[in-house]
Structures are given as structure tokens and as C-alpha cells.
Amino acid sequence: MLTGKKILVGVTGSIAAYKSAFLIRELIREGAEVRVVMSPSGREFITPLTLATLSKNPVAVEFIKPETEKGAGEWENHVELGLWADLFVVAPASANTLAKLAGGTCDNLLMAVLLSSRCPVWVAPAMDLDMFNHPATQENISKLKQRGVSILEPGTGELASGLEGKGRMQEPEEIAQAVISYFNPQQKLKGKKVLITGGPTYEKIDPVRFIGNHSSGLTGVLLAEACAQMGAEVYLISGPTPYKPMLSGIHFLKVNTALDMFELVQKHWNDCAVGIFSAAVADYRPVEVSHQKIKKSEDTLTIHLVKNPDLLSWAGQHKSDKQILIGFALETENELVNAQAKLDKKNLDLVVLNSLRDEGAGFGHQTNKVTFIAKGNKIINFELEQKVELAKRIAEFASDLLK
Ligand code: CTP
């Protein structure tokens, strides 16, 4: 399944480094070409000799190669290594390496290769639960995600410290499976165009102020990547977001206001087989936008608002029998009833309902807990899951509905 694929495995200082031996063995078994780069502290946990034998290639650790028959002073070309790979998997990724990558520190060969690489980078964190939960580590992880690094979420269980919790590196077989799926995606959306809305909208009040909301835009980007992974040509129309899609096949169209987003939806919807509307579109915008900064002269200030068009309803009204339309419903009460009403009113095939009453769901989290409500009152509840998994689930569901 991996013949012809070049995979660079990074190994850092964590007790889980022994698992990288199994990962390399799996990748080799699947026909991949594997090279390994270790941090100096990774070497304390597993020997380069073991990994060189399994990968069938010398392992790179230091900038200057150890003295060989060829002579001393030969250097390890980090740029060449970084450019060689189709995929760079750092497993295990210690808290220290994650911090250095987030900050751009380049104090060893592994970091230099990471900074020079152009291929997708995956990291598999492995550490004790308190280190993993520490705000510094979480901030670093969130920064890396924003830059398009994929995080292979650690599992929960017994840790090397004897404590129980989240921090165990994903099992090598799981990582190998993810690599196989990455290179062999089921192209169920091949030849299809998909329109996705994402992020918040910013409605201008004056040159320095706007009405916005807490949407980060992560779900839109992940949906775009999930659909592109399945072979679709994607139009991602997103309000302001720090995230950006990394895969090819995605037209990333950035907008600010609901009206700008609407214009692009009207332009592209007709050509698309699937529409997934995840944007948190502002329902209202100021009637008038002040050209100058509004001064604080009075004790109270009234801003008159006018309703924005409902983009999803418009798409529902202009939907053919062959098109699939999916909307989101973010509710705080009477969740199921409200979401079912949206399904009918907006002429949708599926509503993805999430409630702000569920912990870990909604804005600002990497996770979500949703219920699918499909036509014919089909209701499916899901547990709390990573947004990246949810995005794949929605893309799968859309491709099944297309059939
Ligand atoms: N939506 C949209 N355009 C709008 C408002 C919402 O396309 N102007 C879409 C959202 O992207 C989402 C769905 O409609 O897929 C539901 O959004 P939500 O804010 O939950 O509901 P509303 O339709 O705005 O209704 P209400 O505010 O009454 O809950």
C-alpha cells in the first residue's frame, strides 16, 4: 500500500521511542522507503543501530556525520532530507520538540529538517498526562494545528510514570494505518465539486470595529481537507480564520462579511454536487457603516441592524434533486426540535446539531459532540470526538447520500 512513498520518521526523547521501531517495521512491510532522523535525546531511548537496521537506511542524528571510512567532516544535509520526504511523521514527539517546533527553535538536526521540510508534517505526542495538559503544551499544539501540522492524538491509559491519563503515543499500527489511508484515500468524491462555508463573518461598524462571533473556522478547513482527501474539488469560502487548508484541490476563498460570502455562494453553488455550510454567519449587519471612527460622545449608542441573507436557505431554495445540502445547527435549548425545524425549513439533506450545553462542543474546542438529523427523521448521536474525525464523518455521509 505504500510502494514508492518516501516517509521520514522523526524520533525524539520519550520512553515511547521503542514504539517507533514497530512503526518503521510496519511502513517497510507496506513497501515504503523509510529514513529516520533522531533528536540526540531520542538516542537515549532507542539505538540508531536498531532503527537503521529496520529502516534499511543510516539514521541521521548530528549535523556532522560521525567519522566514516569516507573521512570526517561530512555533513548531514537537512535540506535534502526535508525535501526528500512525501510525509514526515514525528513519533514520538516529546513536549520539548513540540515546544521547539511551535517556536521555530533549530538546535538539532531533527529541528533543522522539520523547518526545511515542505511535505505534510504529522506529530504523535507522547508524554505524561500533566505535561500534555499543561497550558504551554496545549498552546503549542494549537499553534502547530494552525500551521497545518497534523496531531495524532495521544490515547488514554497507563503511562510510564505509573499515572493514568491522556498522553500515551498512538499505537504504531494505528499510525501506520493512518499513513496508509492518507496515501490511499477512497476517492468517493472524485470528479465532484464541493462548496463549504466556514468561519465567522465580520460586519463592519466603522473603520476599526465590527460585529463578529467566536467561530475559529477550524471546522470549515477540516471539512475542506476531508473532502479534498476523498478526491473532491473544493471551494472553501471562509470568514477570517487563522487556519489554512494544506491539501491541493482546495480553492481557499477568504471573505469578511456575510454579503461577500453570499456573493461567492451564489457564484459557485450551481456547479457543486455537495454544499456543507458550517459558517457562523452574522444574522444582522449595521444598516450604515460609518466612514470615520465613531467617537464616544453620548452615554448610549444605538446601532441599527438589518437582517443578512440566509445563505443556507438560499442554497436550499436553489437546490436540484442531484445536489446534497448539509447545514449546522448550534443550539442552546430545545436542540432537537430546533434542528429538525431547520432541516425542513432550509430544505436540507442533513443537519449537524451541536449544543453549547455539551462540554467540549462548539466554538474554540478541538472537539465536538454532534447529532446527525437526516431526512426522514433519521437521528444518529455521536460521542465527543476530534473535529478532524467529525469532518471525515460528514464527508463520508455526504458521499453516501450522493449515491
Ligand atoms: N446560515 C447561513 N446564513 C445565515 C445564517 C445561518 O448560511 N445568515 C447557516 C449556517 O452556516 C448553519 C445554519 O445556517 O449551517 C444554521 O445556522 P444557525 O445560526 O444555527 O441558525 P439560524 O438559521 O441563524 O437560526 P437561529 O439564529 O434562529 O437559530
Side-chain angles (χ1 to χ4, degrees):
M1 303 290 277
L2 297 175
T3 305
K5 301 299 173 211
K6 297 180 182 131
I7 301 171
L8 192 55
V9 176
V11 179
T12 73
S14 153
I15 191 72
Y18 78 91
K19 291 189 184 176
S20 55
F22 295 95
L23 171 63
I24 292 162
R25 193 184 59 182
E26 287 294 314
L27 298 176
I28 292 282
R29 244 188 218 158
E30 293 293 338
E33 218 182 304
V34 179
R35 287 167 78 176
V36 180
V37 56
M38 297 176 90
S39 70
S41 52
R43 207 169 30 187
E44 306 287 324
F45 291 86
I46 187 162
T47 70
L49 180 61
T50 306
L51 302 185
T53 310
L54 288 168
S55 67
K56 306 183 194 326
N57 270 313
V59 169
V61 188
E62 305 285 358
F63 284 102
I64 306 295
K65 288 184 186 176
E67 283 192 32
T68 60
E69 284 161 24
K70 285 188 208 153
E74 225 185 309
W75 70 300
E76 203 65 74
N77 188 335
H78 57 274
V79 177
E80 185 271 325
L81 258 178
L83 296 183
W84 169 84
D86 297 318
L87 178 68
F88 194 170
V89 185
V90 184
S94 64
N96 189 31
T97 294
L98 294 177
K100 287 197 278 187
L101 186 55
T105 304
C106 185
D107 64 348
N108 64 36
L109 180 70
L110 172 67
M111 295 313 304
V113 180
L114 274 166
L115 296 186
S116 335
S117 65
R118 292 194 189 156
C119 62
V121 174
W122 295 7
V123 295
M127 63 200 74
D128 211 43
L129 77 163
D130 295 310
M131 291 172 80
F132 183 71
N133 285 330
H134 195 282
T137 307
Q138 288 303 316
E139 257 172 46
N140 291 332
I141 288 179
S142 155
K143 229 186 237 177
L144 295 177
K145 276 187 185 166
Q146 286 182 16
R147 290 195 205 132
V149 173
S150 295
I151 313 293
L152 302 171
E153 281 295 316
T156 302
E158 198 182 324
L159 301 166
S161 60
L163 298 174
E164 289 256 342
K166 190 167 178 179
R168 277 169 74 97
M169 185 178 111
Q170 265 190 23
E171 294 308 320
E173 296 75 17
E174 267 179 276
I175 299 178
Q177 201 47 56
V179 174
I180 291 169
S181 308
Y182 172 75
F183 284 114
N184 302 276
Q186 281 191 300
Q187 300 275 293
K188 287 202 212 161
L189 290 172
K190 198 165 180 63
K192 305 285 181 203
K193 288 185 181 171
V194 175
L195 185 153
I196 293 168
T197 70
T201 63
Y202 285 0
E203 310 299 330
K204 254 183 144 182
I205 297 173
D206 69 12
V208 291
R209 304 179 181 96
F210 59 84
I211 297 172
N213 58 64
H214 292 299
S215 167
S216 69
L218 176 62
T219 296
V221 168
L222 294 175
L223 282 167
E225 292 196 328
C227 293
Q229 189 84 60
M230 291 169 71
E233 180 180 353
V234 179
Y235 291 85
L236 170 62
I237 309 169
S238 178
T241 172
Y243 298 99
K244 60 170 189 267
M246 297 302 282
L247 299 182
S248 58
I250 302 174
H251 307 274
F252 187 29
L253 311 173
K254 280 185 155 183
V255 296
N256 280 313
T257 67
L259 289 183
D260 294 342
M261 193 178 272
F262 190 36
E263 202 180 310
L264 290 177
V265 166
Q266 288 173 303
K267 184 169 169 199
H268 294 291
W269 174 228
N270 194 30
D271 297 335
C272 292
V274 175
I276 309 176
F277 284 55
S278 68
V281 182
D283 287 329
Y284 294 89
R285 66 179 184 279
V287 174
E288 277 176 29
V289 178
S290 169
H291 294 298
Q292 303 301 333
K293 185 181 168 203
I294 299 172
K295 292 288 182 193
K296 56 170 185 305
S297 45
E298 308 298 325
D299 283 348
T300 60
L301 174 70
T302 306
I303 298 172
H304 288 282
L305 303 176
V306 59
K307 218 177 202 171
N308 269 328
D310 188 316
L311 285 49
L312 182 59
S313 292
W314 179 89
Q317 283 158 14
H318 296 82
K319 173 165 100 92
S320 77
D321 292 347
K322 294 201 177 85
Q323 287 175 302
I324 298 297
L325 188 56
I326 299 175
F328 277 67
L330 178 63
E331 304 291 342
T332 54
E333 57 177 356
N334 296 329
E335 290 87 348
L336 218 48
V337 175
N338 285 336
Q340 275 163 332
K342 276 177 194 166
L343 183 84
D344 295 335
K345 207 170 106 196
K346 301 196 183 190
N347 190 22
L348 310 179
D349 299 281
L350 175 72
V351 168
V352 180
L353 162 68
N354 52 132
S355 168
L356 281 189
R357 285 200 279 189
D358 287 322
E359 204 172 313
F363 296 141
H365 299 283
Q366 303 294 336
T367 50
N368 208 346
K369 183 173 185 311
V370 305
T371 301
F372 279 8
I373 302 160
K375 257 190 182 161
N377 210 17
K378 252 206 296 182
I379 297 176
I380 315 169
N381 290 302
F382 297 102
E383 292 303 315
L384 190 73
E385 63 186 333
Q386 291 295 318
K387 282 185 173 169
V388 62
E389 295 306 323
L390 173 63
K392 285 186 206 157
R393 192 190 293 290
I394 295 171
E396 281 285 335
F397 204 91
S399 71
D400 289 345
L401 287 176
L402 265 183
K403 280 193 226 145

